[in-house]
Amino acid sequence: MTKEPEDVSTTIEPTVRVETRRQPMPPRERLERVFQIENLTASYGPKPAIRNVSLDVYKNLVTAIIGPSGCGKSTFIRCLNRMNDLIPHFRQTGTIRYHGQDILARDVDPVAVRRTIGMVFQRPNPFPKSIYDNVAWGLKVLGMRDDLDGRVERALTQAALWDEVKDRLKASALSLSGGQQQRLCIARAIAVEPDVVLMDEPASALDPIATQAIEQLMHDLKRSYSIVIVTHNMQQAARVADMTAFFSISTGEEGERFGELVEYDATEKIFTAPADRRTEDYVTGRFG
Amino acid sequence: MSVHGLSRSQQRSDRLARRRAVNRLMETLAWLSAALAVAVLGVVVWSVAARGAGALNLDLLTKPPVPFSLTPVKQGVANAFAGTIVIVGLATAMALPVGILVAIYVNEFARPAARSGITLALDVLNGVPAIVIGIFVFGLLVVGRGQSGLAGAFALACLMLPLVARSTMEVLSLVPSSLREASLALGVPRWRTTLSIVLPQTIGGVLTGTTLAVARIAGETAPLLFTSSIVGTQVSWDPHRALQTVPVAIFELSESPDPADHARAWAAALVLLVFILFASLGARWLATRSRRKLGAAR
């Protein structure tokens, strides 16, 4: 893995350093929108999780969701591929238009949604199968059987894991380190050629070196995919994301607590000149 | 003041001594109860072994019984062993797939209300006396058609079903949900996720539950009296006919006037006991093994 030399000495104030090597973003109206989310409200039984979240996710960008624990970041990202459907008593209202089609509509099959919107989870969760089968199993089940070996190799290469595992593809995936397992999970997700990759705190269970590898990977992956990442690590959001959404916890009229979107803007803007006081408090470390 | 303080601490140490005595008493009672439970098993095993070991020989397993012989002949209860193998095998073949499917439905697909309803139903079914199951199957399959090994197997399957289903449910709930999510997030349908990802994780646990259930039903007598007990003496493997089974044979031999039959009853009981003992040990071994494997996958 080649590492670009990073300038660490310039970090003085505030706590978060925004990298400047990120490409300047084209004006937002010219970007293609992958998701248009309007008034998304979700609850677990009587307990509200998020209320009235509206934002657009753009193609081939990394969009980060940041905010304190319990602000509904994970709930939000799991709405995007209907993963919350599996939780009993979960309810969601509003619309999530994915390339114009509302994926919360009754006639939409969540299996088809998840087929094009992949997900990487907080803790690495490889199947208890071989490294090869972890990537190949999804391909086989979904009928992508042509050039199986080539597809597996490409996915592992894209996930920056191929060189480390090419000599032991038949070994159990559980023998890999945590960071390698997470990259294997990324390879598994991108092997089936999704359109969007959702990442729910993908580096929170990993050490700094593995985290760096995953972040580097995101820079490369956004050329082919649109990425939405949940993170509670602000530095990480600043490093990898083009757009950043800040969620916070609010208290409703009846004292119930729920997450809501406070501010959504280009990452540089969120970290250097946030419009909302709450965002500023959070990114400068005064709260959270 | 100091006198008052002294008497108080005196009082306190009295109370402490009483508490210690009560504690020792309760501990002793609990220990005695545990010892009693082990002793019951010990006495049963010992008395069966003592009485059955003498008549235990290869003839018991390989030779059919010979009724009304005036000279002593080599005989056994081979027909009962054959029948038990057929009936328990068929019962397992009936109960195992249904039990696993019930567990899959409850654990993977059912809504919480249906889940608790079915769980309760399984627990009630587990508590239904075996003789009630016997009468039920007698009315359902035996009246008008006659007894058969199939009817007996069906009755035993009814007893086995809740055992298999409950133990499968238990291991299914041990499979980490992150594995299901990993598969579902790829766009794999739920049935395929269950079949290819979840179920293979549970094989050890399902085997454990099945082994225990087999051990349990192999000794059932009451349902078989209604469904498969009017039998001949020849060895038969045909489930369309009534088949002799080990527990029923023990029951019938023990009613015989011939003391040699009593000895054979004890010997057959010993074989059954040893089988159940080994099945339980095997189940335990399988269980620890699969727990360890599941733990590693977490």
Side-chain angles (χ1 to χ4, degrees):
Chain A
M1 201 179 67
T2 54
K3 227 171 62 184
E4 289 171 44
E6 280 187 274
D7 189 3
V8 193
S9 60
T10 54
T11 49
I12 317 153
E13 284 272 83
T15 49
V16 176
R17 178 174 53 97
V18 178
E19 286 181 34
T20 46
R21 68 189 163 94
R22 191 184 298 112
Q23 314 255 317
M25 245 178 41
R28 270 194 258 167
E29 358 10 296
R30 277 174 42 205
L31 289 167
E32 189 186 330
R33 286 178 292 190
V34 178
F35 286 111
Q36 292 163 272
I37 297 139
E38 276 165 32
N39 292 320
L40 181 67
T41 294
S43 58
Y44 300 100
K47 199 177 159 293
I50 48 173
R51 268 187 199 167
N52 293 326
V53 174
S54 301
L55 63 83
D56 292 348
V57 174
Y58 301 97
K59 193 174 165 65
N60 294 106
L61 293 186
V62 176
T63 304
I65 315 290
I66 61 169
S69 299
C71 69
K73 305 183 295 277
S74 288
T75 302
F76 171 76
I77 199 174
R78 289 166 63 95
C79 284
L80 299 183
N81 69 340
R82 302 273 304 262
M83 215 59 197
N84 286 323
D85 287 22
L86 307 166
I87 297 166
H89 305 304
F90 179 81
R91 293 279 170 280
Q92 57 197 2
T93 56
T95 53
I96 300 177
R97 264 192 287 280
Y98 169 68
H99 293 296
Q101 192 196 1
D102 184 7
I103 57 169
L104 299 186
R106 258 172 194 283
D107 57 339
V108 171
D109 181 3
V111 173
V113 171
R114 295 182 202 124
R115 173 67 193 79
T116 53
I117 304 171
M119 190 162 206
V120 176
F121 297 86
Q122 193 167 349
R123 300 182 68 87
N125 55 355
F127 298 132
K129 298 172 181 283
S130 72
I131 294 166
Y132 180 89
D133 284 336
N134 257 276
V135 183
W137 183 76
L139 291 167
K140 283 190 246 175
V141 170
L142 298 171
M144 303 161 83
R145 286 158 188 279
D146 56 303
D147 191 22
L148 206 54
D149 290 354
R151 285 176 186 274
V152 171
E153 181 178 340
R154 278 196 299 280
L156 286 169
T157 307
Q158 267 193 304
L161 189 61
W162 175 251
D163 289 334
E164 290 163 58
V165 301
K166 63 184 174 196
D167 300 321
R168 48 175 179 143
L169 290 173
K170 292 279 167 263
S172 166
L174 301 175
S175 68
L176 297 173
S177 73
Q180 289 173 322
Q181 287 189 4
Q182 192 63 304
R183 275 178 285 155
L184 181 64
C185 293
I186 293 174
R188 177 177 69 190
I190 59 183
V192 299
E193 295 172 7
D195 178 42
V196 183
V197 180
L198 307 174
M199 297 186 173
D200 188 357
E201 302 196 22
S204 68
L206 304 181
D207 64 64
I209 293 174
T211 301
Q212 203 179 25
I214 302 269
E215 288 177 9
Q216 182 59 45
L217 194 55
M218 276 187 256
H219 280 295
D220 301 338
L221 288 177
K222 74 175 183 187
R223 260 177 254 136
S224 329
Y225 310 95
S226 310
I227 296 175
V228 183
I229 174 178
V230 165
T231 177
H232 57 213
N233 179 336
M234 284 180 282
Q235 284 84 350
Q236 183 170 59
R239 285 190 298 261
V240 302
D242 301 286
M243 297 290 293
T244 297
F246 172 62
F247 279 52
S248 187
I249 304 171
S250 294
T251 309
E253 286 157 15
E254 289 149 38
E256 76 280 18
R257 287 154 68 82
F258 58 90
E260 65 173 355
L261 175 64
V262 174
E263 192 171 353
Y264 179 50
D265 214 321
T267 301
E268 316 237 4
K269 179 98 191 313
I270 290 282
F271 283 102
T272 54
D276 195 292
R277 181 62 196 262
R278 289 171 289 173
T279 314
E280 193 183 333
D281 285 352
Y282 186 74
V283 297
T284 54
R286 244 173 283 169
F287 150 73
Chain B
M1 189 68 194
S2 73
V3 174
H4 183 69
L6 186 73
S7 79
R8 200 191 250 172
S9 80
Q10 182 67 42
Q11 228 179 344
R12 204 177 293 153
S13 81
D14 282 353
R15 227 182 286 153
L16 197 67
R18 221 191 76 221
R19 262 189 249 154
R20 228 183 262 145
V22 171
N23 183 52
R24 200 170 303 138
L25 179 73
M26 296 311 284
E27 223 180 280
T28 314
L29 276 177
W31 186 89
L32 280 176
S33 310
L36 191 71
V38 177
V40 168
L41 177 69
V43 168
V44 169
V45 172
W46 182 78
S47 62
V48 173
R51 294 184 170 116
L56 191 62
N57 51 42
L58 212 57
D59 290 341
L60 186 83
L61 302 175
T62 54
K63 296 237 167 25
V66 182
F68 319 120
S69 104
L70 293 174
T71 53
V73 285
K74 285 187 170 179
Q75 56 170 313
V77 284
N79 58 342
F81 285 109
T84 285
I85 289 169
V86 171
I87 288 180
V88 170
L90 279 173
T92 309
M94 290 182 213
L96 190 58
V98 179
I100 291 175
L101 284 173
V102 168
I104 286 176
Y105 172 71
V106 171
N107 226 65
E108 307 289 318
F109 295 95
R111 289 167 178 280
R115 179 178 305 193
S116 58
I118 296 171
T119 308
L120 179 68
L122 286 172
D123 289 345
V124 171
L125 182 60
N126 194 25
V128 172
I131 195 148
V132 175
I133 300 275
I135 295 176
F136 160 70
V137 176
F138 178 80
L140 190 74
L141 295 178
V142 177
V143 173
R145 292 188 189 83
Q147 291 192 338
S148 68
L150 277 171
F154 183 73
L156 293 188
C158 293
L159 292 168
M160 229 180 144
L161 178 67
L163 298 171
V164 172
R166 288 295 265 147
S167 61
T168 307
M169 276 161 64
E170 207 174 292
V171 275
L172 279 175
S173 68
L174 285 178
V175 177
S177 59
S178 63
L179 273 185
R180 295 182 184 89
E181 289 189 336
S183 169
L184 293 168
L186 289 172
V188 174
R190 277 172 91 171
W191 68 267
R192 190 67 208 257
T193 300
T194 305
L195 201 69
S196 306
I197 299 295
V198 178
L199 215 48
Q201 297 291 304
T202 65
I203 289 172
V206 172
L207 273 176
T208 308
T210 309
T211 313
L212 282 176
V214 164
R216 155 86 200 280
I217 62 159
E220 278 297 343
T221 322
L224 294 172
L225 286 175
F226 288 101
T227 51
S228 181
S229 60
I230 304 166
V231 293
T233 55
Q234 65 274 57
V235 175
S236 166
W237 301 89
D238 176 12
H240 293 99
R241 301 168 43 178
L243 297 172
Q244 181 65 303
T245 53
V246 178
V248 173
I250 294 169
F251 174 67
E252 286 170 356
L253 287 172
S254 69
E255 303 235 292
S256 150
D258 181 0
D261 280 346
H262 297 173
R264 272 193 291 281
W266 284 110
L270 180 60
V271 174
L272 195 59
L273 202 60
V274 167
F275 166 75
I276 289 166
L277 215 61
F278 273 97
S280 303
L281 287 176
R284 260 191 100 97
W285 177 74
L286 278 171
T288 38
R289 215 172 135 250
S290 70
R291 288 272 146 74
R292 219 180 302 133
K293 242 175 74 190
L294 268 177
R298 225 171 253 269

